[in-house]
């Protein structure tokens, strides 16, 4: 089950409000006692969908389970900072961190950091008994599911829908047709080529930019072990063309780290001449090296982006070999470093760059970060920013990190794509979250009304 | 007849085992780590976590051992559990299979109901009727099934909003909704098939009509209509039955596209999702079921063929 649906069935201690701000959820109040200590008070009388009481001990069990690296939890990068959870009563407890993490509460708002009964804390169990606004009525695996309002939810008075019928449409065209034909009222993941058609047909198309795409490299072996060639790529990319090719113009160009402010957002520019100079400096004055550009055939927009990157690289002198296997093959090859350059999408699971950047620049077995990349100075700068209690010191550390990224190019960002939802005019009250929280916007269905 | 049946069933069992073995080794050889797909590839996971997933799925064991375990399971009626959901694969297939069988049955009925009369009419009348049938069936055969499906959705669902664009309501829940959901996919799937049936019927009718015994029957004073309906048509059915059997089997392949276009909840969708997630037990289970269905359909055709033409039992 996807984490978008988790937001309807489950709740953690924190959640996101309509526009994406972090707010208390199962926790009625949160008090930051000092930079390392957070005191939580749960709502009175919390229960799971099956009526079992939800108590502080469940919270401790769930958070410690997520903090175990063997469980591969999405919230692991944040909850791993937990040193201790001291329980005072069934509704009161205190969490102590082992080092400062300004994004800690935001990690607790991740839809996958939900609290469930302890018998559901297993990789082999699909957690369906939650404490969120909707309970699972029926589930036809791969086809759809029915959710009904959970009257025991702490915020049940604000939940406007009594029932949500979810149908899975893996094919984008079928999804759009389902809306156009009146089979459904609301769709997510609207394909970019359909925005205009849907709007012209009287549907509301509502989106925000959030997920970003980058060129990432094999820095262990091959030409891109040389940072000069990575920098050449950062200058060679025509972001405007790439956004037009992959997203029909529905996106914004990126020349640095998204959401990082002026010091981090303008690290590079589109300057093919500079790219050629860098190639010459790297010893390729008479034609760039031959590189393997790996993409995939499953996600068409990533393939189209990669084709745009291929054209840009060839324009400055690289010789590019392009391959695009299916997604599972692509991920296996990417994790094994069987490429020179590829194009991937990423989204931070917190807004703070000091919180999400480490995942992209530190060694991990992931397909969406540069293979073999590691930079001790960059790691130190990000760790310093994450732990800094003083805003000035924090920004200084971040600026140092951005400068290193600009020079060493662990990734060359291309664009941030618009991700939209579309619905009939009978639907009102739906909000799209901003920035990296955009993918969680389905949470906001709890405040939607449907007329007629 | 009994020895004929035993022979056919024994061949079917061997074929099913060959398919099982081929698909097992093929899917395990294809690149794509199921553990990575299961972890989501998003964030949070570590090499330690991936290894734990591999161990929990049994993927850390030698391939031969995995095969032996799987084969033993299948012999005991256990198709394993889905990597992605942990649900028994047999249960998932049983939930989806009825929709696919309903689609195939509806398409076959439509194709036979349209194809045999159309072909018989063209074969009997010849001339303009024959030319018309040839033209219409050429178009039906030439247009790819996904184009027909897309056009059908655009016209009947998006533009006129007469029928749903996708999905299928269970019959028990809403019989009318079920029929409405089944209609477009079934008609789309049946179109090319009805053209094949019409052409085969037409050719068989022409060949049979030219036989000496037809002239003899007519000279005995039987009406042309009676000779045609009672003798010519029946004796033209052997090749048609063979084609129907083969084509119904091929429906299982075509339904992959149909289920995609119409978001139809059959086993082909399950198969595609399984391949995309490298969910080995699901892929193996669905392929085995499709193979067994194909074999069974052909077995039924062979039996029917034997009934229609006793000489076939001897061969």
């Amino acid at each position: 089950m996807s984490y978008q649906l988790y937001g309807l069935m489950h709740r953690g201690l924190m959640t996101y409000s309509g526009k994406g701000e972090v707010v208390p959820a199962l926790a009625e109040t949160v008090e930051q006692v000092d930079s390392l200590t957070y005191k939580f008070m749960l709502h009175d009388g919390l229960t799971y969908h099956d009526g079992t009481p939800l108590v502080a001990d469940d919270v401790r069990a769930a958070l410690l389970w997520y903090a175990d690296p063997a469980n591969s939890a999405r919230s692991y990068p944040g909850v791993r900072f937990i040193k201790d959870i001291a329980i005072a009563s069934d509704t009161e407890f205190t969490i102590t961190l082992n080092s400062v993490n300004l994004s800690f509460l935001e990690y607790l708002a991740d839809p996958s950091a939900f609290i469930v009964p302890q018998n559901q804390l297993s990789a082999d169990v699909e957690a369906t008994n939650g404490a969120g606004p909707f309970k699972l009525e029926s589930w036809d695996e791969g086809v759809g599911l029915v959710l009904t309002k959970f009257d025991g939810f702490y915020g049940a008075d604000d939940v406007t829908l009594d029932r949500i019928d979810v149908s899975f449409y893996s094919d984008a065209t079928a999804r759009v047709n389902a809306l156009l034909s009146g089979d459904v009222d609301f769709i997510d993941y609207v394909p970019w080529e359909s925005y205009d058609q849907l709007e012209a047909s009287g549907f509301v198309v509502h989106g925000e930019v959030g997920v970003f795409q980058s060129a990432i490299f094999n820095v262990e072996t091959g030409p891109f072990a040389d940072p000069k060639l990575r920098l050449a790529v950062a200058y060679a990319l025509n972001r405007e063309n790439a956004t037009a090719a992959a997203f029909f113009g529905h996106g914004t160009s990126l020349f640095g780290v998204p959401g990082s402010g002026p010091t981090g957002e303008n690290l590079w520019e589109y300057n093919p001449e500079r790219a050629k100079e860098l190639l010459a400096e790297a010893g390729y004055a008479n034609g760039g090296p031959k590189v393997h550009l790996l993409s995939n055939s499953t996600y068409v927009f990533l393939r189209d982006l990669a084709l745009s990157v291929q054209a840009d690289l060839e324009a400055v002198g690289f010789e590019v070999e392009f391959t695009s296997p299916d997604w599972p093959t692509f991920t296996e090859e990417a994790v094994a470093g069987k490429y020179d350059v590829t194009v991937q999408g990423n989204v931070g699971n917190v807004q703070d760059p000091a919180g999400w950047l480490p995942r992209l620049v530190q060694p991990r077995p992931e397909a969406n970060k540069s293979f073999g990349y590691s930079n001790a100075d960059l790691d130190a700068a990000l760790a310093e920013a994450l732990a800094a209690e003083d805003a000035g010191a924090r920004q200084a550390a971040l600026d140092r990190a951005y400068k290193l990224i600009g020079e060493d190019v662990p990734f060359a960002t291309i664009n941030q794509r618009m991700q939209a939802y579309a619905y009939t005019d009978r639907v009102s009250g739906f909000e799209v979250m901003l920035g990296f929280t955009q993918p969680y916007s389905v949470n906001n269905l709890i405040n939607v009304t449907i007329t007629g | 007849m009994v020895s004929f049946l035993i022979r056919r069933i024994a061949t079917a069992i061997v074929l099913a085992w060959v398919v099982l073995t081929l698909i097992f080794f093929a899917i395990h050889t294809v690149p794509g780590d199921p553990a990575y797909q299961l972890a989501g590839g998003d964030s949070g996971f570590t090499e330690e976590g991936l290894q734990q997933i591999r161990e929990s799925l049994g993927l850390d064991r030698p391939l031969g051992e995995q095969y032996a375990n799987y084969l033993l399971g299948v012999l005991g009626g256990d198709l394993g559990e889905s990597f992605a959901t942990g649900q028994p694969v047999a249960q998932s297939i049983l939930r989806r299979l009825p929709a696919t069988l309903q689609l195939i049955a509806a398409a076959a009925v439509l194709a036979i109901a349209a194809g045999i009369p159309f072909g018989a009419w063209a074969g009997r009348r010849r001339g303009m009727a024959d030319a018309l049938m040839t033209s219409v069936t050429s178009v039906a055969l030439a247009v790819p099934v996904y184009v027909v499906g897309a056009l059908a959705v655009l016209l009947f669902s998006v533009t006129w909003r007469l029928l749903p664009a996708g999905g299928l309501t269970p019959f028990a829940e809403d019989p009318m909704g079920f029929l409405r959901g089944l209609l477009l996919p079934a008609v789309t799937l049946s179109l090319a098939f009805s053209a094949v049936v019409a052409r085969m019927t037409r050719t068989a009718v022409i060949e049979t009509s030219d036989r000496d015994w037809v002239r003899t029957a007519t000279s005995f004073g039987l009406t042309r209509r009676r000779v045609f309906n009672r003798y010519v048509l029946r004796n033209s059915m052997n090749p048609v039955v063979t084609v129907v059997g083969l084509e119904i089997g091929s429906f299982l392949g075509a339904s992959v596209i149909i289920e995609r276009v119409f978001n139809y909840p059959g086993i082909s969708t399950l198969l595609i999702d399984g391949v995309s997630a490298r969910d080995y037990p699901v892929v193996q289970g669905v392929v085995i079921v499709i193979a067994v269905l194909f074999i069974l359909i052909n077995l039924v055709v062979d039996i029917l063929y034997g009934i229609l033409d006793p000489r076939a039992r001897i061969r």
Side-chain angles (χ1 to χ4, degrees):
Chain A
M1 203 174 284
S2 73
Y3 58 81
Q4 283 93 339
L5 288 172
Y6 289 154
L8 296 174
M9 291 167 53
H10 294 290
R11 273 296 175 274
L13 292 175
M14 311 296 288
T15 190
Y16 290 107
S17 68
K19 283 291 180 193
E21 298 92 11
V22 177
V23 293
L26 296 178
E28 187 173 19
T29 60
V30 187
E31 180 194 344
Q32 186 165 4
V33 180
D34 57 46
S35 58
L36 295 175
T37 315
Y38 297 82
K39 196 172 175 184
F40 292 85
M41 169 88 78
L42 295 176
H43 286 274
D44 274 334
L46 287 175
T47 66
Y48 296 110
H49 296 155
D50 67 355
T52 316
L54 185 159
V55 293
D57 201 40
D58 295 343
V59 176
R60 179 168 60 184
L63 295 184
L64 294 182
W65 196 82
Y66 297 139
D68 182 349
N71 293 326
S72 300
R74 265 172 57 88
S75 53
Y76 169 76
V79 294
R80 73 193 168 96
F81 284 86
I82 294 175
K83 181 181 170 190
D84 179 53
I85 302 175
I87 296 176
S89 72
D90 277 353
T91 54
E92 286 179 69
F93 57 96
T94 302
I95 296 179
T96 309
L97 306 184
N98 50 31
S99 75
V100 175
N101 186 334
L102 295 179
S103 301
F104 177 66
L105 292 179
E106 196 175 347
Y107 280 107
L108 299 183
D110 187 296
S112 67
F114 49 69
I115 309 300
V116 285
Q118 294 179 36
N119 62 9
Q120 296 207 1
L121 292 171
S122 163
D124 301 328
V125 174
E126 186 70 60
T128 53
N129 181 25
F134 291 93
K135 60 183 175 184
L136 186 66
E137 199 64 38
S138 63
W139 180 18
D140 192 356
E141 173 200 321
V143 177
L145 47 86
V146 176
L147 301 170
T148 52
K149 183 177 172 179
F150 174 47
D151 292 327
F153 178 56
Y154 66 86
D157 292 346
D158 298 326
V159 178
T160 48
L161 290 179
D162 289 328
R163 173 186 162 121
I164 302 177
D165 287 19
V166 180
S167 300
F168 302 134
Y169 288 81
S170 53
D171 182 74
T173 307
R175 197 157 58 241
V176 170
N177 285 337
L179 183 67
L180 286 167
S181 64
D183 289 359
V184 299
D185 294 303
F186 180 100
I187 60 170
D188 71 351
Y189 224 111
V190 181
W192 298 274
E193 64 271 27
S194 301
Y195 285 18
D196 294 344
Q197 180 199 9
L198 286 167
E199 280 176 338
S201 305
F203 294 92
V204 180
V205 179
H206 190 176
E208 290 289 345
V209 293
V211 183
F212 66 96
Q213 288 65 233
S214 320
I216 58 175
F217 310 95
N218 180 344
V219 303
E220 200 165 282
T221 56
F224 293 114
D226 182 349
K228 273 204 175 80
L229 290 181
R230 302 201 293 269
L231 192 56
V233 172
Y235 280 108
L237 296 175
N238 185 332
R239 277 97 172 159
E240 207 173 313
N241 276 357
T243 305
F247 305 119
F248 293 76
H250 300 292
T252 54
S253 299
L254 276 180
F255 296 91
V257 179
S260 59
T263 50
E265 285 178 348
N266 301 298
L267 301 176
W268 314 291
E269 59 181 347
Y270 173 50
N271 187 343
E273 292 311 312
R274 177 73 186 122
K276 286 177 187 170
E277 286 169 20
L278 285 162
L279 276 168
E281 286 172 28
Y284 296 102
N286 300 315
K290 185 173 179 179
V291 297
H292 172 209
L293 170 56
L294 174 68
S295 185
N296 75 89
S297 56
T298 306
Y299 295 101
V300 176
F301 64 91
L302 286 177
R303 191 200 57 203
D304 290 346
L305 268 183
L307 287 169
S308 179
V309 168
Q310 180 186 18
D312 293 340
L313 296 190
E314 286 175 344
V316 297
F318 284 97
E319 195 183 327
V320 182
E321 184 204 351
F322 181 87
T323 59
S324 60
D326 73 341
W327 180 255
T329 307
F330 164 79
T331 53
E332 183 168 306
E333 292 187 1
V335 170
K338 292 180 181 170
Y339 67 99
D340 292 316
V341 57
T342 182
V343 176
Q344 263 287 30
N346 268 297
V347 65
N349 45 2
V350 289
Q351 305 293 321
D352 178 10
W356 64 263
L357 269 172
R359 190 168 66 81
L360 258 67
V361 298
Q362 290 170 3
R364 299 176 67 80
E366 291 186 39
N368 50 3
K369 65 172 293 294
S370 285
F371 180 78
Y373 187 81
S374 143
N375 181 327
D377 292 339
L378 181 54
D379 293 349
L382 289 171
E384 194 181 317
L386 192 65
E389 293 183 48
D390 172 71
R394 184 174 176 283
Q395 190 58 50
L398 275 177
D399 288 348
R400 218 167 64 242
Y402 298 149
K403 188 166 181 295
L404 285 166
I405 289 171
E407 292 164 356
D408 206 32
V409 198
F411 52 83
T413 46
I414 302 171
N415 50 24
Q416 249 179 318
R417 68 183 191 238
M418 170 85 77
Q419 201 79 68
Y421 305 82
Y423 42 93
T424 66
D425 55 8
R426 301 195 306 126
V427 175
S428 60
F430 180 71
E431 282 189 284
V432 180
M433 295 186 192
L434 304 176
F436 292 158
T437 57
Q438 176 276 323
Y440 311 143
S441 302
V442 170
N443 281 16
N444 289 335
L445 282 177
I446 66 171
N447 300 124
V448 154
T449 49
I450 299 183
T451 54
Chain B
M1 190 68 181
V2 174
S3 68
F4 167 78
L5 269 178
I6 290 170
R7 229 172 31 242
R8 299 299 298 160
I9 290 168
T11 311
I13 291 169
V14 172
L15 273 175
W17 170 73
V18 169
V19 169
L20 178 150
T21 305
L22 283 177
I23 190 61
F24 181 91
F25 286 102
I27 192 70
H28 280 77
T29 311
V30 169
D33 182 357
Y36 190 91
Q37 306 311 313
L38 207 56
D42 211 353
S43 70
F45 65 89
T46 56
E47 188 52 54
E48 184 190 356
L50 287 177
Q51 191 51 35
Q52 197 176 66
I53 294 172
R54 289 185 198 110
E55 283 169 20
S56 73
L57 300 177
L59 295 169
D60 58 327
R61 296 186 202 127
L63 195 56
E65 187 185 328
Q66 290 181 49
Y67 173 70
N69 288 340
Y70 185 69
L71 191 59
L72 283 174
V74 171
L75 288 174
D78 178 12
L79 292 176
E81 289 173 356
S82 161
F83 287 171
T85 65
Q87 300 290 312
V89 171
Q91 197 178 303
S92 302
I93 292 173
L94 282 176
R95 225 175 16 239
R96 299 288 194 93
L97 189 59
T100 298
L101 293 180
Q102 285 155 355
L103 174 65
I104 290 174
V109 167
L110 284 172
I112 291 167
I116 291 179
F118 194 30
W121 174 71
R124 190 179 174 196
R125 300 267 171 173
R126 310 203 188 173
M128 283 299 288
D130 200 13
L132 177 69
M133 195 278 301
T134 307
S135 308
V136 170
T137 53
S138 294
V139 172
L141 286 167
V143 184
V145 69
Y146 59 85
V147 174
V148 177
L151 282 174
V153 169
L154 278 179
L155 286 176
F156 293 96
S157 305
V158 173
T159 307
W160 299 325
R161 290 196 169 195
L162 294 173
L163 295 164
L168 185 71
T169 311
F171 183 82
E173 212 173 279
D174 176 10
M176 204 56 211
F178 167 79
L179 290 174
R180 281 164 47 80
L182 187 62
L183 191 57
L184 280 187
V187 169
T188 306
L189 185 59
S190 72
L191 207 60
F193 181 34
S194 58
V196 172
V197 171
R199 285 191 165 203
M200 186 51 73
T201 307
R202 172 238 176 221
T203 306
V205 161
I206 289 173
E207 276 179 9
T208 311
S209 301
D210 290 343
R211 296 271 169 84
D212 291 341
W213 57 262
V214 175
R215 276 197 300 278
T216 308
T218 314
S219 67
F220 272 125
L222 297 175
T223 63
R224 281 182 183 278
R225 179 185 291 269
R226 185 158 185 208
V227 169
F228 184 82
N229 289 341
R230 184 145 184 186
Y231 301 106
V232 174
L233 203 52
R234 179 176 175 166
N235 280 285
S236 304
M237 284 300 103
N238 272 5
V240 177
V241 168
T242 307
V243 164
V244 166
L246 289 172
E247 287 288 324
I248 288 178
S250 73
F251 272 12
L252 291 162
S255 69
V256 172
I257 299 166
I258 294 289
E259 290 187 12
R260 186 82 176 171
V261 171
F262 292 98
N263 203 47
Y264 191 87
I267 53 170
S268 298
T269 314
L270 193 64
L271 178 62
I272 290 175
D273 292 346
V275 171
S276 302
R278 296 293 189 267
D279 196 336
Y280 297 163
V282 168
V283 175
Q284 290 159 188
V286 175
V287 170
I288 290 165
V289 167
I290 288 176
V292 168
L293 276 177
F294 193 88
I295 290 165
L296 280 177
I297 289 167
N298 280 287
L299 188 62
V300 170
V301 169
D302 281 350
I303 294 167
L304 275 179
Y305 205 69
I307 292 167
L308 287 169
D309 183 0
R311 288 169 300 177
R313 293 178 217 163
I314 299 161
R315 286 199 290 268

